[in-house]
Amino acid sequence: MSSPDPITQLRAAKPAASPELRERVRALAARTPEPRRRFFPTRLSLRRVVLVAAPAALALALGAAGVIGLTRSGEDERVVSPPLAAAEKGAPTTSLQSGEAATPDQAATLPPTTGRLQRYDAELRLRVEDLDALSAATQRAMRIARSLGGYVASAQYDAPETGPGSAMLVLRVPTIRVQSAIVQLSGLGTILGQRIGIEDLQGQADTLADQITALQGEIASLRRQLETPDLTDDARAQLELQLAQARRELAEMRAALEQTRTEGTLATVSVSLTTEQTARLQERGRLDRALDRALDALAWEASAALIALAIGGPLLILAVGVWKLAAVRRRRAEERLLDRSE
Amino acid sequence: MTIPSTRAQAAGAERPSFAGVAEAHLDDVHAYLVYLTRDRVLAEDLTADTFEKALRLWHRFDPRRASARTWLCQIARTTALDWFRAEERRRRREQATAREDLTDSVFGEGLSPGLESALRALTHAEREVIALRVLLDLDGDEAARVLGISPTNVSTRLSRALKKLEEKVGTHVLA
């Protein structure tokens, strides 16, 4: 007859406590009163901690941000408009930020190259206080141009009854004096923007001069041919036609060279003046300011939390690792103890 | 009053009384300690110590975390380990000789000699897991909680222990 399987045997033969032991334990439970439960649970489950602590921490952070936002929302805030962008023209340019006081060093940073023809043009945007200052600055700009040997190419002036006033001047000043002009003009108001463009014209002038020289030679040759006594009528007519053509071309080239020299000799400085205040005082609602401050505070709290996590995170991981290692060592020690007791 | 024997039952039931828990699980704790110590007399003493300690810690028992039986087995194991440590220190001091011979039927009346012998040959870890999973019928999670190991480890140990038992019982029968 086969024995029942081990599991069945084990369960059937489960050792029972002796009657003496049973009485002993009953007496223990009956004699000693049960201790009272503590008011607070001695163990907090991780789940309970997370469910309570996380929302509480979040509420605290939001509350603190709100308090900060409300308490600091009374501060005034002035918003300054961004400076006007300097225009690009393909040539080296420079620009200044708005609101900066003009100084001679800041006003002119690209001097023309001496000994070469260059097209030099500059733009200045200036702000003046009011219409009186606008008028004075406009007149002063014209005098500056004339004092430097230049002239006013065009001028526009607008001083309405309401709203900002403006003036637009195009000045031509000798290129060799353009730096002085820019410095003096910059002092008429607050620089809002500046642009300088330089284009070399010397090559173009040299080419024109060479072409002029060649044409002059050609004209001289044609004239000598016309002085030949035995020219036929047709040949003479043809030569005269060519001579006239060459003379026309020579005149055009001389005019172009003159134009080029003029462009290289006189710089163009465009000056625009305005009384418009680009720094506007924006009165924002208190709620908007409070919200901004609160968001700033939240951002700061988030940064602080991230920093704390970055610093504390590795330490926490290390602590958990040490705790787990200690638990493993304790369990192994217990197993060795039980093995030794075999 | 019904004593909840599983954590699920305990989660829904009210907290039981200590007297009721002691009456319901006395045999379970005793059987576990018998298997752990292989000594009935020692197991009885440790059982009483276990319930004394359990009474002192009764206010910390949370039926939502573990059943009363699991909780008592954890205390029983700790009590046994404390005894073994003290015994080891005593032996080192007194250089005691070998322990008295075990009684013939330590693990319960009615076991075949082969099975008795096979149980004695198991390691303490194997006997523990058999006591908890087979005798006390704790599930894998509860047994893991008592032993302080993972449920996977519990399954592996139980499988190894039962295989050893079957091999040894089979060998004895053939002999």
Side-chain angles (χ1 to χ4, degrees), chain A residues 69-264:
Chain A
L70 286 172
T71 54
R72 295 185 62 184
S73 64
E75 296 173 2
D76 265 352
E77 186 179 86
R78 286 175 180 262
V79 175
V80 177
S81 297
L84 298 170
E88 291 291 332
K89 205 176 178 182
T93 61
T94 185
S95 64
L96 294 174
Q97 298 299 317
S98 69
E100 295 180 4
T103 66
D105 291 334
Q106 281 183 318
T109 59
L110 287 179
T113 306
T114 55
R116 293 188 69 85
L117 278 175
Q118 290 178 318
R119 179 183 292 118
Y120 196 108
D121 67 280
E123 291 178 15
L124 273 177
R125 284 182 58 86
L126 303 170
R127 186 178 73 236
V128 295
E129 284 298 317
D130 50 30
L131 292 178
D132 290 338
L134 179 68
S135 172
T138 303
Q139 292 176 25
R140 175 76 185 136
M142 293 179 181
R143 284 199 294 273
I144 290 171
R146 292 182 190 120
S147 70
L148 294 173
Y151 60 93
V152 179
S154 68
Q156 293 176 351
Y157 183 84
D158 182 21
E161 286 185 10
T162 58
S166 64
M168 179 67 187
L169 303 167
V170 177
L171 310 174
R172 304 300 301 274
V173 296
T175 304
I176 56 173
R177 298 199 184 107
V178 69
Q179 275 188 284
S180 175
I182 290 173
V183 168
Q184 292 184 56
L185 291 168
S186 300
L188 296 177
T190 304
I191 298 176
L192 298 178
Q194 179 186 358
R195 186 194 66 80
I196 294 175
I198 298 176
E199 185 183 351
D200 187 78
L201 299 175
Q202 190 62 50
Q204 180 179 333
D206 291 343
T207 301
L208 286 170
D210 292 340
Q211 288 173 343
I212 288 171
T213 303
L215 273 173
Q216 286 173 335
E218 185 181 338
I219 289 170
S221 170
L222 288 169
R223 289 177 69 178
R224 282 196 297 277
Q225 290 177 51
L226 281 169
E227 289 171 359
T228 306
D230 52 350
L231 274 179
T232 62
D233 293 339
D234 288 341
R236 184 174 296 280
Q238 187 68 20
L239 285 172
E240 287 174 352
L241 201 63
Q242 289 176 12
L243 181 60
Q245 178 67 21
R247 281 174 174 162
R248 278 195 299 275
E249 288 180 14
L250 179 62
E252 287 171 2
M253 286 189 185
R254 279 177 173 163
L257 181 59
E258 185 61 27
Q259 176 69 23
T260 301
R261 283 176 177 161
T262 301
E263 286 182 17

Side-chain angles (χ1 to χ4, degrees), chain B residues 127-174:
Chain B
R127 288 199 306 276
E128 264 195 291
V129 74
I130 284 181
L132 292 172
R133 293 281 283 124
V134 175
L135 229 55
L136 273 60
D137 204 23
L138 296 183
D139 61 27
D141 287 342
E142 290 176 314
R145 183 183 289 274
V146 172
L147 298 174
I149 58 177
S150 68
T152 307
N153 263 351
V154 168
S155 298
T156 305
R157 279 191 194 180
L158 178 64
S159 168
R160 195 165 54 230
L162 289 176
K163 191 177 173 187
K164 264 175 141 176
L165 276 184
E166 286 170 1
E167 284 172 359
K168 287 188 185 302
V169 169
T171 305
H172 187 269
V173 169
L174 287 175

Side-chain angles (χ1 to χ4, degrees), chain A residues 14, chain B residues 3-6 21 24-25 28-29 61 66-76 132 135-139 142 146:
Chain A
K14 177 181 174 182
Chain B
I3 307 296
S5 58
T6 65
V21 165
H25 298 300
D28 292 334
V29 173
F61 169 61
S67 66
R69 183 170 52 184
T70 304
W71 184 69
L72 287 170
C73 286
Q74 284 178 299
I75 297 175
L132 292 172
L135 229 55
L136 273 60
D137 204 23
L138 296 183
D139 61 27
E142 290 176 314
V146 172

Side-chain angles (χ1 to χ4, degrees), chain B residues 38-129:
Chain B
R38 294 191 304 171
D39 186 331
R40 281 203 173 210
V41 175
L42 175 60
E44 289 209 351
D45 288 339
L46 293 179
T47 301
D49 291 344
T50 297
F51 281 98
E52 278 185 24
K53 191 183 284 187
L55 181 61
R56 286 198 303 273
L57 300 175
W58 183 239
H59 62 280
R60 295 176 63 180
F61 169 61
D62 185 355
R64 291 168 297 182
R65 291 175 61 87
S67 66
R69 183 170 52 184
T70 304
W71 184 69
L72 287 170
C73 286
Q74 284 178 299
I75 297 175
R77 190 170 197 273
T78 308
T79 305
L81 287 169
D82 289 342
W83 187 89
F84 283 125
R85 286 191 198 100
E87 185 67 10
E88 198 175 60
R89 287 194 294 270
R90 189 187 65 80
R91 283 179 192 170
R92 278 203 294 269
R93 280 197 309 269
E94 298 176 2
Q95 297 180 358
T97 55
R99 291 188 293 131
E100 61 189 70
D101 293 336
L102 299 171
T103 57
D104 285 341
S105 56
V106 173
F107 300 106
E109 303 296 333
L111 282 181
S112 64
L115 189 53
E116 181 85 24
S117 170
L119 276 174
R120 287 185 193 175
L122 293 178
T123 64
H124 80 275
E126 291 162 346
R127 288 199 306 276
E128 264 195 291
V129 74

Side-chain angles (χ1 to χ4, degrees), chain A residues 14 18 22 26 335 340, chain B residues 23 27-28 44 88 157:
Chain A
K14 177 181 174 182
S18 65
R22 195 172 298 279
R26 280 178 185 161
E335 291 181 3
R340 290 197 296 273
Chain B
E23 187 68 40
D27 288 333
D28 292 334
E44 289 209 351
E88 198 175 60
R157 279 191 194 180

